[in-house]
Structure formats: structure tokens, C-alpha cells
Amino acid sequence: MRAGLRPVQAIIAAPTALFLVALTAMLLRHPDVSFYEIDRVAFLLLVVGVTVRAVVMRQRLLVMERATWPMIGLTLLAVASVIGQPFDNRTWCLLAAKFLVPFALFHLAGLVFREERRLRQFEIFALVVLAYLCFTAIAFLVGAKSLIYPRFILDESLGYHVDRARGPLLQAVANGVSLNMLGVLALHAFLRGRIRGVRAAVLLASLPVAILATMTRAVWLSFAVSVVVLIIRAHNRRLRRICVAVTMVGTLGLLITLSFDDQRRALTERLQESGPLDFRKAVYTGGWQMFLEKPITGWGINQMPAELARHVSGYKEKELYPHNTYLELLVEHGVFGLALYGWLMWEILRLGRGLVPRAEREGFLNQQFYGVWPVLLGIYWVNAALVVMNYQFVNGLLFAMAGMLAAQRRRARCDLERDAASMRAVGVSAV
């Protein structure tokens, strides 16, 4: 009997490990890959482990935040549209990647990352992933493809942008937004002294080179804007100097890249290429026509690719993608869907305006993190306008950090209530 309970005890005792393993599975397994759905297994183990642990420790399993309500609304809209369609595994995978998994991680993160020790483990995980993505991108850039793992990254039959550093997400923009967000976390860790010396210098210096390796103008633009915003908004002179240094390294990396004929030709072609812009203009026009046909109810989840191909002329593909998260929400779920999403993003932004608990003022979620939170969201929002955020890892990473902030706000409120109770007690005793 005891032997049978040991796996359950192990799952309950290691919620942080379960959470990070689930994020790792989401990073290394893209929906297009014909592979055993290890990410679903890891996510299910996480849900079961955290739920059982909360019951055993008598924790409140679901805390209703202001952000919870638009999440519920979006999920109901998406599920209602899926139920009315014939079963399609791809549609359910998209539903999970865009709504179910990130919304669940938002609430699970608040239960798991309640201590500074666990938050530091998440920070270490983020730094390790950043180092891996940078290494993979630079290896692709210099042609050292034998060093790239998993090998499906190089499979031309999977995903998009086989000629760019697309990473395990198999999409250059998704890889770029991950690098950008994790890079901001690395800056935050450096300022807190979590990484120092050679390791910090190598990691931060490799970031702009990895961004360059994505060969994607949108990624370059969002990275440049995020660095400029950090320089302008930073009240920390050290942060400004680091951002300037990163900019200089990126410029140096660009000059070195331009010294090679093949890379210079590739960069020049990317800058001069107008085909993607014409394509986006066509699909945006077709998507708007679809919206006008069903502005209230929308077309339903995963119905846009096939229908968009019928609304856009000049392209022979059977399926076309909008390359815009907001347009897809508007077309698939109507004005109510986009309004709910706007409400959700507003509530997520507001989480960075809370108080910092006394125990966290020198920790991961300190006042400095609150300062970079709008930058992290801005990176996500800008790139969401250029690609549909169907990537579990990107969504999961953002919503997990939002869940951590929500839990921190609850702890800060508890601190204030305890302080108020102590003051009342002192006043009563004085009387």
C-alpha cells in the first residue's frame, strides 16, 4: 500500500518541479510534431499534483481574481464554438494552447510559487532556457547545425521558417519573442546579483546575436523598442548601462555578420523583401471581410484558415493564416471575444501595480520586476500583432508570471491587514 502511494507523495512534494517540467515539455514539443503528447501528460500531472497538494494542505484551490472573469468568458466562447463542430484533434489542441493551458497555469502558479525559494527556481529555469535558445540560434546562424537539438528543429517538413533560427517552437517570431522576454528576465536577474561575471557577460552578449539570427524584421523591431524603452524608463543607472552595452554588442554582431557574403546577402534580402507585407495586407483585408459577415458570433475556433483562403485572391493555398492574434480573435469570436481579450490584458497589466510584500522586497518579484512587467507585456502584445500566439510555452510563460504577481498581491494585502490588526491591538492595549 505504501509503495503504491509513493509516486503520489513524490508528485505532491515537488510542485515546482512539476511546473517547470510542464513548461519544458511545452517548449520542446510543437503541436505540428508527430510525437507522443508528452506536454499533455506533464500538464495533467501538474494539475493533479497541485490539486491534491492543495487539498492535503487545506489551501484554497481556486482564487477568483479580476483577470479570472475574462478568462472564463473567453474559454466559454471557445468551447461553445468547438462543441458545435465535428471532433478535430487539431482544433482542441489550439483551444488548449490558447486558452485552457495558459489560464490554468495562471491559477496554478499562484499555488505553486508562494515562497521565494520556488521563485528563484523559476528564475534559474528561465535563465537556462534563455541560454539554450541563444545557443541554438547562434549555432544555426554560424552553420553549426550538428549542435542543434532536438533534431526536429531542422526538419523542413515541420513548422515555418526553415531558413531562420526558429528554435524548438518552429517559428521565428515565436522564438524571437521568447528570447526577448527571457532576456528581460536575465537583465532583472543580473541587477539583483543572481548572475555575475563571465556567465552574465556571455549570456547578455549572446542575446542580441540570437535575436539577429531569427532573420525576422518584427523580432528585430520589438527587441530594439524594448531596449530603448528600458533605457528611457529605467530609474537604475546600472540598467541603462547594461542596455547600452547590449545595444553595442548587437551592433558589433551585425557588423561581423555583414562581413560574410552569405549572411550579408540573407540580411539584405530580408530587409528588401516585400512579399510578406503584400501577403499580410491581403489576409488582413480578407479577415476584415470575414468579420463583417459575422461580427457578433464569429466563425468559431480554427475555422479561419480554410475560410480565409476563400476570401483572399491571388494565393493557391488551401489554408491561410491571419498572422495577427487580435484579428483572429475578432474573426473567430466576434466583438465580444476581442473585448474580453482586451479586458484580460488590462487586468494582467494592472497586476504590476500592486504592493510588494515585505518578504519579497529583495526577491524575484521585487519593485524592479514591477518596473519591467509592462515591457514584458509590450513585447508580447507587439509580437501578437505579427503572429498568432498559438504557442503554449510563450502563453504559459507569460500567464505563469502573471499568476505569480496575482499571488503576491494577495500576500501584500494580508501584510496590510496584519499591520492594521496590530495597530488596532496596540491602540486597544494603550487605552
Side-chain angles (χ1 to χ4, degrees):
M1 182 67 176
R2 291 181 180 178
L5 291 176
R6 283 177 184 173
V8 178
Q9 292 173 344
I11 291 175
I12 295 174
T16 307
L18 287 176
F19 203 102
L20 299 182
V21 167
L23 282 178
T24 303
M26 294 172 192
L27 172 68
L28 299 178
R29 191 268 179 186
H30 190 280
D32 286 346
V33 177
S34 300
F35 184 70
Y36 188 68
E37 296 185 352
I38 190 66
D39 56 333
R40 295 289 182 262
V41 175
F43 176 70
L44 181 61
L45 287 175
L46 171 64
V47 173
V48 172
V50 175
T51 301
V52 174
R53 185 174 183 271
V55 172
V56 171
M57 299 185 67
R58 297 183 179 180
Q59 294 177 336
R60 186 176 177 181
L61 186 58
L62 179 61
V63 179
M64 299 297 289
E65 298 285 344
R66 289 168 61 107
T68 303
W69 299 110
M71 290 181 189
I72 293 175
L74 282 168
T75 303
L76 290 176
L77 281 177
V79 171
S81 68
V82 171
I83 291 176
Q85 303 174 19
F87 176 79
D88 180 62
N89 184 62
R90 183 182 177 188
T91 299
W92 281 97
C93 285
L94 289 173
L95 172 63
K98 292 194 289 188
F99 302 113
L100 299 180
V101 171
F103 295 170
L105 292 182
F106 172 85
H107 294 90
L108 292 174
L111 292 172
V112 173
F113 298 98
R114 299 171 64 92
E115 305 168 5
E116 181 59 26
R117 174 176 58 87
R118 300 185 188 280
L119 289 168
R120 288 178 179 175
Q121 291 172 352
F122 173 82
E123 184 178 38
I124 292 171
F125 167 81
L127 295 174
V128 170
V129 171
L130 175 61
Y132 161 70
L133 292 179
C134 286
F135 176 82
T136 303
I138 295 173
F140 191 93
L141 179 66
V142 301
K145 296 183 179 181
S146 61
L147 300 177
I148 296 176
Y149 292 95
R151 303 303 295 177
F152 69 73
I153 295 174
L154 303 174
D155 190 339
E156 297 184 359
S157 66
L158 299 174
Y160 308 93
H161 306 153
V162 296
D163 57 335
R164 310 181 200 174
R166 57 184 187 166
L169 296 169
L170 303 184
Q171 214 273 4
V173 176
N175 192 41
V177 69
S178 299
L179 285 165
N180 205 346
M181 293 174 65
L182 293 170
V184 173
L185 294 182
L187 286 172
H188 176 59
F190 179 76
L191 292 174
R192 291 172 47 245
R194 295 295 296 166
I195 51 173
R196 300 189 182 112
V198 176
R199 286 183 297 179
V202 171
L203 185 60
L204 294 177
S206 63
L207 176 62
V209 180
I211 291 290
L212 179 65
T214 62
M215 294 294 176
T216 305
R217 289 169 291 190
V219 172
W220 298 340
L221 178 62
S222 64
F223 177 73
V225 170
S226 63
V227 172
V228 171
V229 170
L230 284 172
I231 293 174
I232 295 174
R233 294 185 74 253
H235 301 293
N236 189 316
R237 292 182 180 178
R238 193 179 178 197
L239 176 58
R240 288 198 189 106
R241 289 197 296 268
I242 296 170
C243 290
V244 171
V246 169
T247 303
M248 294 174 63
V249 171
T251 303
L252 179 61
L254 176 61
L255 293 175
I256 294 174
T257 302
L258 291 175
S259 65
F260 296 94
D261 292 337
D262 293 343
Q263 299 298 338
R264 182 172 63 252
R265 191 180 306 110
L267 284 170
T268 302
E269 290 175 355
R270 287 295 303 139
L271 290 172
Q272 296 178 348
E273 190 176 4
S274 61
L277 298 178
D278 296 335
F279 174 77
R280 287 178 184 274
K281 182 179 179 180
V283 297
Y284 290 170
T285 301
W288 183 252
Q289 293 175 353
M290 289 180 63
F291 163 70
L292 294 177
E293 293 179 20
K294 296 183 179 182
I296 305 299
T297 60
W299 291 77
I301 192 168
N302 201 32
Q303 297 300 300
M304 191 174 184
E307 290 294 335
L308 187 59
R310 301 188 184 99
H311 285 75
V312 176
S313 59
Y315 296 92
K316 299 179 180 180
E317 290 84 352
K318 294 182 179 179
E319 292 186 346
L320 294 177
Y321 297 90
H323 296 280
N324 188 303
T325 299
Y326 314 113
L327 178 62
E328 185 188 67
L329 281 165
L330 188 63
V331 172
E332 291 188 346
H333 305 293
V335 291
F336 291 115
L338 185 61
L340 284 170
Y341 191 79
W343 178 18
L344 171 61
M345 290 297 107
W346 168 250
E347 296 299 339
I348 295 296
L349 176 63
R350 289 181 69 254
L351 292 174
R353 300 178 181 177
L355 298 174
V356 178
R358 287 188 294 270
E360 305 290 344
R361 287 173 184 171
E362 300 300 327
F364 175 65
L365 297 178
N366 59 7
Q367 196 66 47
Q368 178 184 284
F369 185 89
Y370 281 18
V372 301
W373 180 241
V375 179
L376 287 168
L377 282 176
I379 293 169
Y380 183 86
W381 291 341
V382 169
N383 285 276
L386 303 165
V387 68
V388 177
M389 287 296 181
N390 292 339
Y391 302 95
Q392 285 187 116
F393 176 77
V394 178
N395 293 330
L397 181 69
L398 181 76
F399 279 86
M401 290 189 289
M404 297 173 198
L405 285 174
Q408 174 152 289
R409 291 186 67 177
R410 294 195 295 271
R411 291 195 296 273
R413 286 196 296 266
C414 290
D415 285 349
L416 291 176
E417 291 173 0
R418 281 195 297 268
D419 291 343
S422 299
M423 293 179 64
R424 286 195 298 268
V426 170
V428 170
S429 62
V431 173

